[in-house]
Amino acid sequence: MAFLLRQVARSGLQRNLILMRHATASTSANPELSVQVSESCLKRLREICVDGSFLRVTVEGGGCSGFQYKFDLDKQLNEDDRQFGEAEAKVVIDTVSLEYCSGATVDYHSELIRAGFRMVANPLAEQGCSCGSSFSIKL
Amino acid sequence: MNRCSNPWFLRAVRHHIRNLHEMRIPYARPVGPNQRNFTLEPLGNRELIRVHGAEVVPFLQGLATNDVARIQSPGGPASMYAHFLNKAGRLLYDTILYRTNNPETILVECDREASSDFRRHLRTYRVRRRIEVDSVDDEYTPWVMFNLKDASEAVPNPHPDLFVSPDPRLHVLGTRILAPTDMDWSKLSKCFADFGTATAASSDNSYQLLRYKQGVGEGCSELTPGKCFPLEANADYLHGVSFHKGCYVGQELTARVHHSGVIRKRYMPIRLTAPIDVGSSQDVTSLAGAKLGRVFGFAHKHGIALLRIEKVLNGRPELMIDGERCYVERPEWWPEDLPGKRRMAFAE
C-alpha cells in the first residue's frame, strides 16, 4: 500500500516537472509537494525569528550548474506560499520553487568555513557544483 | 631549405608587407563619403529573440559566458558575443546580445535552427522570474555590412528604425544591422547611400566565405550543440567569455580550462585545393595519415575545421582531406604569443 502511494506521488512529481520544463500553463499547487525541516534549522529559526519573521526559500535559475537556492528572512506571506515547520519557526516556499525541491530537507549547517541554511537531500537535484550552492535538475 | 615553411621567414615577409601597406597610406587619395564600397547581406540563418523583464540582466548574467552587466552600463558596448552552455560546460548556442533603448529588453541573435530550443532553454532557467522570451522574427531581421576598406571605421546609423553595431567579435567581420523585416535590400542600401555604395553578396563574395577565411564558426551546423567547448570555438579570442564575472551555467569547466587546463583544439581556417565530397568523412589528416581534426563547413575553396593546434601549427601547413591536399592558416586575429599548453593565470 505504501509502495503504491509512493508510485502515485512519483508520477505526480514527474508530471509536474514536465509541465514546468515545457513552460505550459502554470500548475496548481499539488498538496503532495513538501519539504522537511531539520531540528538544527528549527533551533536556529527559533533564535532569529523573534520578530514574527520567517525563512523564505526561493529557487532561482543561474549558478554554474543551472539552479540555486536563495534564503531570506521575510515577514510577508504571498498567495502562492506554502508553510512548513513550526508556528514560531516557519519555512516558507512559493509553489514554483517547491516544484524544484520537493522532498528535500532545509538544514542549518555550522562549520569553520561557513555557517548558513542549506537544502540537503533534494531528490530532484542532480550533482551540484564545487561551491555547493548550485544544482541541476534531473531530467 | 624550404623558406615558405620557415616561421621566421614568414613573419619577416608579413612584417614587410605590413610596412609596405603603411607606407602607401600617406600618398593615397582621401576616400570621399560616397567612395566607400561595401557588401550588404541579410543573415537568413540568424533569428532575433527578445528577452524582456525587470530582471533581464541578472537572468542572462547567470546563463551567458560574457558579462551581460556591461551591455547595460552607461558607455557599454552596443552588442556582445556570448555562448550559452549546458551544465557540463559544452557549447549549446552561440549568440550576439544587443542592447536596446529599453533597459529591460535585450535582443539575442541566435541560429534560426536552434531558436526554438534556445527559447525553451531560457524558459527552463527562468523559474519564477517575470521574463518574457519571444521570437521577433516577424519584426526584425539581422543584416551584415562588410568589406569596408577600413574595417574598423564606425558606421553611422542613418535611420531611427535601424540598429547598427560593429561586430563584437572581430572588426573584419563587419557591422551588424538590425532592420525591420519589411525592409528589403534596395530600401536598406538606400538608407546607407550617404555612407557608400552597397553591393549584393554573391557566391564568391559572402559573409559565410569571410567567416571561413577568418576561421570563425557560427550556428549549429558548425558549432554543433553539445559537442565543443567555448574556448575551442575561440570565444576567448573573440571577446565572448568573461573570466571576471560571477557564476553562469557551465562556468566551472570553462574557467578551469582557462586557468589551469589544456586547449588542444580550436577552430581554424583552411584553404582547399579541391571540392570536398559532401558525403565524405570530412576528416583532416596529416600527410602521414594522422588524424588532426574535422571540417565543419566549406565554401569556394575555403573552410573551417576543428584542428589540433600544436600538431597543425608546428608541422607543415599541408594537410589532407579525403585524399585531397589543403592548407591550414593561423588566423591573424589570434594573439601574437600563442600560450603554451598550460596557461598561467598571472600571465593574463
Side-chain angles (χ1 to χ4, degrees):
Chain A
M1 190 59 184
F3 172 78
L4 287 179
L5 285 180
R6 206 174 300 121
Q7 286 296 316
V8 169
R10 185 174 300 117
S11 64
L13 284 177
Q14 285 164 359
R15 195 177 309 117
N16 280 318
L17 278 183
I18 290 168
L19 287 174
M20 183 59 53
R21 281 196 349 256
H22 290 279
T24 51
S26 62
T27 172
S28 59
N30 187 327
E32 294 171 286
L33 300 183
S34 69
V35 296
Q36 308 300 310
V37 184
S38 74
E39 187 55 39
S40 60
C41 179
L42 289 172
K43 182 163 174 274
R44 182 62 182 159
L45 286 178
R46 290 184 205 116
E47 292 170 9
I48 62 179
C49 295
V50 292
D51 56 351
S53 57
F54 51 80
L55 179 70
R56 173 174 293 285
V57 182
T58 310
V59 169
E60 273 186 357
C64 40
S65 290
F67 299 92
Q68 52 195 354
Y69 308 107
K70 202 171 147 195
F71 299 95
D72 290 304
L73 287 184
D74 200 352
K75 290 188 181 183
Q76 181 71 39
L77 269 177
N78 299 320
E79 200 167 279
D80 63 339
D81 283 340
R82 300 288 313 281
Q83 303 177 40
F84 306 95
E86 299 175 348
E88 300 299 322
K90 281 204 291 282
V91 174
V92 171
I93 308 179
D94 63 281
T95 51
V96 175
S97 300
L98 192 51
E99 307 277 357
Y100 289 82
C101 60
S102 179
T105 300
V106 187
D107 191 20
Y108 182 76
H109 201 86
S110 285
E111 55 192 12
L112 283 180
I113 194 171
R114 173 174 56 190
F117 294 99
R118 59 202 285 182
M119 196 73 77
V120 298
N122 185 350
L124 305 177
E126 212 170 308
Q127 101 278 343
C129 63
S130 304
C131 59
S133 61
S134 186
F135 68 101
S136 56
I137 290 286
K138 285 172 184 168
L139 299 178
Chain B
M1 165 177 124
N2 188 347
R3 309 178 83 181
C4 290
S5 64
N6 186 321
W8 176 88
F9 180 80
L10 286 176
R11 199 174 299 123
V13 168
R14 198 178 297 127
H15 179 71
H16 183 67
I17 291 173
R18 198 178 299 128
N19 278 344
L20 193 64
H21 176 71
E22 282 163 9
M23 279 190 293
R24 282 207 218 102
I25 289 176
Y27 307 98
R29 226 168 2 98
V31 178
N34 285 313
Q35 292 183 50
R36 291 184 194 85
N37 293 290
F38 55 85
T39 307
L40 196 59
E41 182 181 345
L43 297 174
N45 61 338
R46 305 291 286 180
E47 191 176 294
L48 287 167
I49 290 172
R50 178 175 52 220
V51 186
H52 175 77
E55 296 182 85
V56 67
V57 168
F59 170 65
L60 291 177
Q61 185 78 317
L63 299 172
T65 53
N66 216 334
D67 187 358
V68 186
R70 277 196 311 123
I71 207 174
Q72 291 290 35
S73 60
S79 66
M80 66 171 37
Y81 185 48
H83 290 169
F84 289 74
L85 316 179
N86 65 17
K87 60 181 186 285
R90 291 181 184 265
L91 198 161
L92 286 177
Y93 313 105
D94 61 293
T95 68
I96 295 182
L97 312 179
Y98 297 90
R99 178 178 66 188
T100 67
N101 293 330
N102 185 343
E104 294 185 357
T105 300
I106 289 181
L107 293 181
V108 184
E109 178 203 299
C110 70
D111 196 56
R112 179 175 299 278
E113 279 182 37
S115 172
S116 177
D117 287 339
F118 181 45
R119 280 176 272 137
R120 189 177 312 122
H121 176 88
L122 292 176
R123 290 177 185 136
T124 297
Y125 290 107
R126 184 171 49 181
V127 191
R128 57 177 285 111
R129 285 185 158 111
R130 303 202 193 282
I131 301 283
E132 293 166 25
V133 179
D134 303 291
S135 170
V136 290
D137 195 33
D138 52 344
E139 298 174 43
Y140 277 94
T141 298
W143 294 68
V144 66
M145 169 199 283
F146 59 99
N147 279 346
L148 275 173
K149 183 187 281 286
D150 180 5
S152 60
E153 182 177 6
V155 178
N157 189 343
H159 196 285
D161 281 345
L162 298 181
F163 186 86
V164 175
S165 164
D167 194 302
R169 295 166 294 180
L170 290 174
H171 285 311
V172 73
L173 291 179
T175 298
R176 277 326 212 228
I177 300 164
L178 310 185
T181 301
D182 54 9
M183 270 201 189
D184 60 6
W185 193 94
S186 294
K187 279 187 189 173
L188 193 58
S189 56
K190 278 199 188 77
C191 286
F192 289 94
D194 286 346
F195 179 75
T197 304
T199 303
S202 57
S203 63
D204 61 351
N205 174 41
S206 71
Y207 169 70
Q208 186 191 53
L209 191 56
L210 173 64
R211 283 199 299 103
Y212 288 168
K213 287 176 181 173
Q214 299 295 325
V216 176
E218 206 175 78
C220 22
S221 62
E222 293 161 22
L223 310 178
T224 313
K227 289 293 197 294
C228 78
F229 299 105
L231 300 188
E232 288 175 349
N234 301 304
D236 46 352
Y237 300 161
L238 295 169
H239 322 111
V241 179
S242 168
F243 297 105
H244 310 286
K245 59 174 279 188
C247 293
Y248 56 88
V249 177
Q251 178 213 17
E252 275 202 310
L253 190 133
T254 303
R256 193 190 313 139
V257 167
H258 172 72
H259 288 294
S260 62
V262 178
I263 303 170
R264 293 194 176 86
K265 298 181 283 178
R266 283 188 185 262
Y267 280 82
M268 294 180 79
I270 53 174
R271 190 166 40 84
L272 310 167
T273 57
I276 295 181
D277 185 1
V278 178
S280 70
S281 67
Q282 323 267 311
D283 284 342
V284 183
T285 64
S286 67
L287 296 182
K291 182 171 176 181
L292 299 176
R294 224 201 93 183
V295 177
F296 280 91
F298 55 90
H300 240 270
K301 289 196 161 74
H302 291 272
I304 188 170
L306 182 58
L307 298 171
R308 300 192 165 275
I309 307 167
E310 194 185 355
K311 290 187 192 299
V312 158
L313 289 183
N314 293 341
R316 303 171 62 176
E318 297 109 320
L319 304 170
M320 302 291 291
I321 299 179
D322 202 32
E324 299 288 352
R325 198 167 289 237
C326 71
Y327 300 89
V328 64
E329 296 161 352
R330 185 191 190 279
E332 282 187 3
W333 48 273
W334 279 18
E336 202 62 43
D337 308 313
L338 200 63
K341 272 189 163 183
R342 192 158 295 275
R343 297 180 69 109
M344 289 171 286
F346 58 80
E348 297 300 307

